[in-house]
Amino acid sequence: AWPLGLYDCCGIIDGGAAAIMCRVEDVDKYKPGGDYITIKGFGISSSPGMGKVLTDYDWVHWEETYRATQQVYQQAGIKDPRKEIDLVECHDCFSIAELMCYEDMGFCERGKAKYDIEAGSFTLEGEVAFNAGGGLKSFGHPVGASGVREIYEIYKQVQGKADEPSRQLKNVELGIAHNQGGHPGTFVCSMGIFGVPGR
């Protein structure tokens, strides 16, 4: 649908991913002496009136993303995400989706994302890096695995071991993974904040 074209949309592909989750005190059972990240907060939100057709959905704002974000910020004690979060891996299923995340996740005011895009605020060299791993447009979108791939990117960035050294960010301590799916009436968003132990 205009103005989105073919190359604004990610491909749906097959794929899988897995992660080991455990209590901090059990880490050495799975990765003795290894690097790990901890979950600082987790949020999930669904459409109001889940399952009903929503005719008043505005398509320029995801309330579900906003509400899930507020949950994780509260749990992690985040007051100013633009100053406190180093990396965001967001569900950029369409090129406009990343722009909507800038605003709905509180990294800029509503309607102001255009100016941050022009200023390069969310590039690898900007204030907060968005989708250092390339996002869904780069990897494709294996629906069940996309969120775990985002978390893996945060994990590698926190370790200082990004798969491609050219995209390794400096001093990454806190990252947020954003995943969503559905359509108005059956839309769900989940996200988590991950970072170095003790942060």
Side-chain angles (χ1 to χ4, degrees), residues 141-180:
H141 181 22
V143 177
S146 291
V148 176
R149 193 223 25 100
E150 291 174 350
I151 295 167
Y152 179 73
E153 179 67 24
I154 294 168
Y155 170 68
K156 297 302 279 186
Q157 289 282 353
V158 167
Q159 287 182 319
K161 300 176 183 175
D163 292 338
E164 296 172 29
S166 61
R167 77 166 191 257
Q168 176 63 55
L169 304 170
K170 295 178 182 176
N171 306 317
V172 179
E173 292 189 356
L174 209 56
I176 186 167
H178 163 261
N179 204 344
Q180 63 190 20

Side-chain angles (χ1 to χ4, degrees), residues 4-166:
L4 302 180
L6 177 64
Y7 297 110
D8 290 297
C9 310
C10 73
I12 302 295
I13 61 170
D14 292 329
I20 295 173
M21 295 174 58
C22 66
R23 298 177 308 174
V24 171
E25 54 267 30
D26 294 333
V27 167
D28 281 340
K29 293 179 187 176
Y30 301 99
K31 194 165 184 177
D35 295 328
Y36 62 95
I37 59 175
T38 54
I39 300 170
K40 311 299 181 180
F42 179 78
I44 189 164
S45 178
S46 62
S47 296
M50 187 73 166
K52 296 179 182 177
V53 174
L54 301 179
T55 57
D56 59 349
Y57 206 82
D58 69 9
W59 295 103
V60 295
H61 158 67
W62 282 314
E63 182 65 20
E64 299 81 6
T65 292
Y66 171 78
R67 284 190 272 130
T69 302
Q70 295 309 304
Q71 291 172 33
V72 295
Y73 289 170
Q74 182 179 21
Q75 292 170 25
I78 301 295
K79 305 292 185 205
D80 186 345
R82 194 158 170 156
K83 292 182 179 170
E84 297 176 72
I85 295 175
D86 304 306
L87 170 63
V88 179
E89 288 292 312
C90 81
H91 188 101
D92 62 339
C93 44
F94 307 99
S95 54
I96 195 170
E98 185 172 321
L99 181 146
M100 292 168 70
C101 284
Y102 300 156
E103 298 180 0
D104 290 338
M105 294 174 74
F107 288 91
C108 65
E109 294 179 42
R110 290 239 168 95
K112 305 291 186 184
K114 169 186 187 289
Y115 304 108
D116 278 306
I117 291 168
E118 291 170 349
S121 302
F122 305 126
T123 64
L124 296 183
E125 296 80 26
E127 293 175 58
V128 181
F130 266 72
N131 288 344
L136 276 58
K137 294 265 294 140
S138 167
F139 281 86
H141 181 22
V143 177
S146 291
V148 176
R149 193 223 25 100
E150 291 174 350
I151 295 167
Y152 179 73
E153 179 67 24
I154 294 168
Y155 170 68
K156 297 302 279 186
Q157 289 282 353
V158 167
Q159 287 182 319
K161 300 176 183 175
D163 292 338
E164 296 172 29
S166 61

Side-chain angles (χ1 to χ4, degrees), residues 182-197:
H183 55 82
T186 57
F187 196 85
V188 176
C189 174
S190 64
M191 55 179 49
I193 293 184
F194 307 88
V196 296

